[in-house]
Amino acid sequence: MPQLLRLGLWFSATVTLSRVGATPSCGIKEGRCSAAAAAGEHLLLQLERGGHLSNGPAVTDDANSCNGMPDIKRKCSSNSCKVLAENMKHFSCSEFCHRSGRRCIRAWEEVSDDCEVRETLSCDQTYGDTSDLLCECSPEVVGVFESAAAGGEHSMSTSGGCKKSCTDMPDVEQKCSPSGCKVLVTNMKDSSCSSYCARTGRACVAAFEEVDETCGVKEVRICDQTYDDTSDLICECAPSEADPAQVGGSSTSASTPSWELVWSDEFDGHQVDRSKWHLEHAGGGFGNEEKQFYRERNAHVGLGSLRITAKCEHYDNHGFTSAKLMTKDKSQWGPGHKIEVRAKLPTGKGTWPAIWMLPAQNAYGKWPASGEIDIMETVGCSADQAHGTVHTGSYNHMTNTQVYSILATPVSQWHTYTLEWNKLGMQWYVDDQLYGAFAPSEHDRGKWPFDQEFYLILNLAVGGSWGGSCLKDGTPSCSSSNEFGNDQVMEVDYVRVYRQA
């Protein structure tokens, strides 16, 4: 079960761009641009945003140099690929190198703002106690997503040439670049620039806090993070649209994946199907100070639905009982699948219903290293909000990297909650409305443990660190009508799992 602080979604990935000061080197027939062109366009984006480039020779096509990388305080190698980078608080060297389409090779903590190494670091880690890092990037431009079929080139639209404008961006208060790809965006509270760019199928390039609702930059921010202290952000999106299929989603009919039903439970019988589900019999808080004991008798099937009932009831030193169903050791699924669950949920304070997944094998270690996928969570303490979340070793509240996506929706009504999952990313939907996407820039196990199979869980927790966050001691009242004065019911119409054909 998830922890107190919610991790979340709305990560986007690939940046596909064209060359500065030259005709875009796009193969119109193939519909793609070269990696060198991608690096050039990224420099144009840096200049558009008022960024500075390192001192030194003009940018060339020299495959052994890294001229033109942003935010460089000092060069630490003859080819400019090892540099002292500034403005790195809460950023990793992987993210720094990706800004110019390169891969991080090594990372270090510097000694007194020079090129001397104090400590060897991980490329993927962020550090909140330093503003400078030594980063070594690959001299070759590799991009974020690479297509083997394209010989390492980046996928582009097939409309002919490289798109360099963003004319369809929503919620724009002010354009901050000639292309319209860097914009001052409204209604961004609890949303990230990655999620904003993903709304038009684009990747986030950079994020900033604005000065007084203008295009002036007050602070550099992180594409993937949400902020509850501001309603406006400056977001810069890649000028070319990413292929939604790369992150497991659908777009037009030309790229919409086809799905084949491979597993389902329509709950048409009179009892829980034990060939499909394991019913938990346990209590103890589950790491979240939850108040319920899970019993089989709290799960009922009839009249075409599953009903999980949480109630005030003393059992085995617990004040509440509920139910938890899992497909563990029976069925599990991995990338290339879609999971749909049609459900309506309770809203009493202290309720914490969830539709979620855990790894069948902890291939990368204990939670959160091997991952967790929350298809849907909601809590009565903040009613009518559907949360979509992932947990990984790199993205979790223990390292202050938690982010999340929320969709305001009346959860007490019937809705279909959907996860689409492929080898590069995931997307979350409510009633076919996309509201979350996760496709990290790198697919190492810290950011992407989701190359393994996971099993499905349906449960209704009571109180605890998140479910009872608005209640005294995290425990709901058994007499209050808006808490547990009445039984609380999570009802599920069906669960369907599809495989991409």
Side-chain angles (χ1 to χ4, degrees):
M1 193 67 174
Q3 305 295 320
L4 170 61
L5 293 174
R6 315 317 311 147
L7 281 175
L9 317 159
W10 296 79
F11 288 84
S12 187
T14 177
V15 180
T16 51
L17 306 157
S18 66
R19 189 175 179 183
V20 174
T23 302
S25 56
C26 296
I28 296 176
K29 187 173 182 180
E30 295 84 0
R32 51 186 184 258
C33 290
S34 70
E41 176 70 14
H42 189 82
L43 296 180
L44 175 61
L45 293 174
Q46 292 290 335
L47 293 170
E48 277 185 356
R49 74 166 71 104
H52 62 277
L53 305 180
S54 62
N55 296 324
V59 179
T60 71
D61 288 331
D62 183 356
N64 295 314
S65 68
C66 298
N67 291 311
M69 293 199 298
D71 294 331
I72 293 176
K73 182 178 287 188
R74 181 173 297 185
K75 294 179 183 179
C76 301
S77 67
S78 59
N79 66 353
S80 303
C81 293
K82 181 179 177 182
V83 297
L84 178 62
E86 58 185 356
N87 302 320
M88 292 295 290
K89 190 171 184 179
H90 301 304
F91 285 87
S92 69
C93 280
S94 284
E95 291 169 312
F96 171 79
C97 294
H98 282 157
R99 294 182 202 168
S100 56
R102 293 178 168 85
R103 179 181 294 113
C104 174
I105 298 176
R106 285 176 292 183
W108 304 271
E109 170 68 4
E110 93 290 353
V111 177
S112 302
D113 289 341
D114 57 28
C115 293
E116 185 179 350
V117 172
R118 173 184 293 170
E119 180 184 357
T120 300
L121 306 176
S122 165
C123 275
D124 298 324
Q125 280 186 270
T126 59
Y127 298 86
D129 58 350
T130 182
S131 60
D132 297 339
L133 287 177
L134 287 170
C135 299
E136 183 174 357
C137 306
S138 63
E140 74 278 5
V141 176
V142 295
V144 179
F145 282 129
E146 292 189 24
S147 168
E153 293 182 325
H154 299 264
S155 176
M156 295 295 290
S157 73
T158 57
S159 58
C162 297
K163 295 184 180 180
K164 294 183 63 176
S165 64
C166 301
T167 58
D168 57 345
M169 307 290 282
D171 294 332
V172 174
E173 187 169 330
Q174 186 174 339
K175 289 184 179 180
C176 301
S177 71
S179 66
C181 296
K182 181 180 178 183
V183 292
L184 177 63
V185 189
T186 61
N187 303 318
M188 290 297 290
K189 188 172 183 180
D190 294 325
S191 186
S192 70
C193 281
S194 282
S195 66
Y196 172 77
C197 295
R199 286 160 64 181
T200 55
R202 292 178 168 89
C204 175
V205 176
F208 314 89
E209 171 68 4
E210 95 291 352
V211 176
D212 298 329
E213 298 186 5
T214 69
C215 291
V217 173
K218 178 188 295 183
E219 179 183 355
V220 177
R221 300 223 169 179
I222 300 174
C223 277
D224 299 331
Q225 198 161 353
T226 59
Y227 300 91
D228 59 8
D229 59 347
T230 183
S231 60
D232 294 341
L233 285 176
I234 297 173
C235 297
E236 184 171 349
C237 305
S240 56
E241 295 181 7
D243 180 1
Q246 289 182 317
V247 292
S250 58
S251 58
T252 64
S253 58
S255 59
T256 299
S258 58
W259 301 97
E260 172 190 5
L261 184 68
V262 294
W263 188 96
S264 69
D265 196 338
E266 305 294 326
F267 302 110
D268 288 333
H270 300 285
Q271 59 185 1
V272 174
D273 187 341
R274 299 303 184 94
S275 70
K276 297 179 178 179
W277 300 100
H278 165 73
L279 280 160
E280 182 87 303
H281 184 82
F286 302 95
N288 300 299
E289 303 177 3
E290 297 165 31
K291 311 304 179 183
Q292 78 286 346
F293 193 99
Y294 288 127
R295 303 182 69 188
E296 296 181 7
R297 62 185 292 176
N298 290 63
H300 303 270
V301 172
L303 301 177
S305 69
L306 164 71
R307 293 172 62 88
I308 297 175
T309 302
K311 61 177 70 178
C312 288
E313 180 181 23
H314 288 281
Y315 183 83
D316 197 9
N317 296 317
H318 291 67
F320 302 84
T321 60
S322 187
K324 180 179 184 179
L325 287 74
M326 303 181 289
T327 66
K328 185 178 182 180
D329 299 326
K330 298 180 183 293
S331 296
Q332 54 272 332
W333 307 275
H337 287 86
K338 176 172 72 171
I339 296 93
E340 284 186 350
V341 181
R342 186 170 185 262
K344 64 178 181 178
L345 309 166
T347 58
K349 291 182 179 179
T351 56
W352 185 355
I355 303 164
W356 56 301
M357 305 182 80
L358 283 176
Q361 303 291 333
N362 283 327
Y364 302 120
K366 296 182 180 180
W367 190 97
S370 291
E372 174 184 325
I373 307 166
D374 299 322
I375 300 173
M376 190 289 312
E377 292 180 284
T378 188
V379 292
C381 283
S382 54
D384 291 335
Q385 292 183 347
H387 295 245
T389 310
V390 293
H391 304 251
T392 76
S394 295
Y395 302 121
N396 62 78
H397 71 273
M398 293 181 290
T399 56
N400 197 32
T401 54
Q402 69 278 1
V403 290
Y404 50 86
S405 66
I406 302 174
L407 180 69
T409 188
V411 298
S412 61
Q413 299 176 14
W414 285 108
H415 295 289
T416 301
Y417 301 95
T418 302
L419 172 77
E420 292 187 7
W421 175 13
N422 79 0
K423 66 180 181 179
L424 295 180
M426 303 176 186
Q427 291 192 328
W428 283 252
Y429 299 82
V430 172
D431 299 331
D432 294 325
Q433 176 186 349
L434 174 68
Y435 80 102
F438 175 61
S441 58
E442 291 184 325
H443 286 70
D444 60 87
R445 66 185 187 181
K447 295 180 179 179
W448 183 259
F450 304 113
D451 56 348
Q452 306 291 312
E453 291 189 332
F454 282 57
Y455 61 89
L456 183 66
I457 305 168
L458 308 174
N459 73 283
L460 174 51
V462 179
S465 56
W466 192 37
S469 59
C470 63
L471 304 172
K472 182 179 180 181
D473 300 323
T475 304
S477 165
C478 290
S479 58
S480 174
S481 60
N482 67 344
E483 297 179 24
F484 272 68
N486 301 302
D487 292 351
Q488 300 292 317
V489 178
M490 172 181 179
E491 189 169 2
V492 180
D493 182 19
Y494 60 76
V495 178
R496 296 171 183 167
V497 180
Y498 301 84
R499 180 174 56 224
Q500 189 166 353

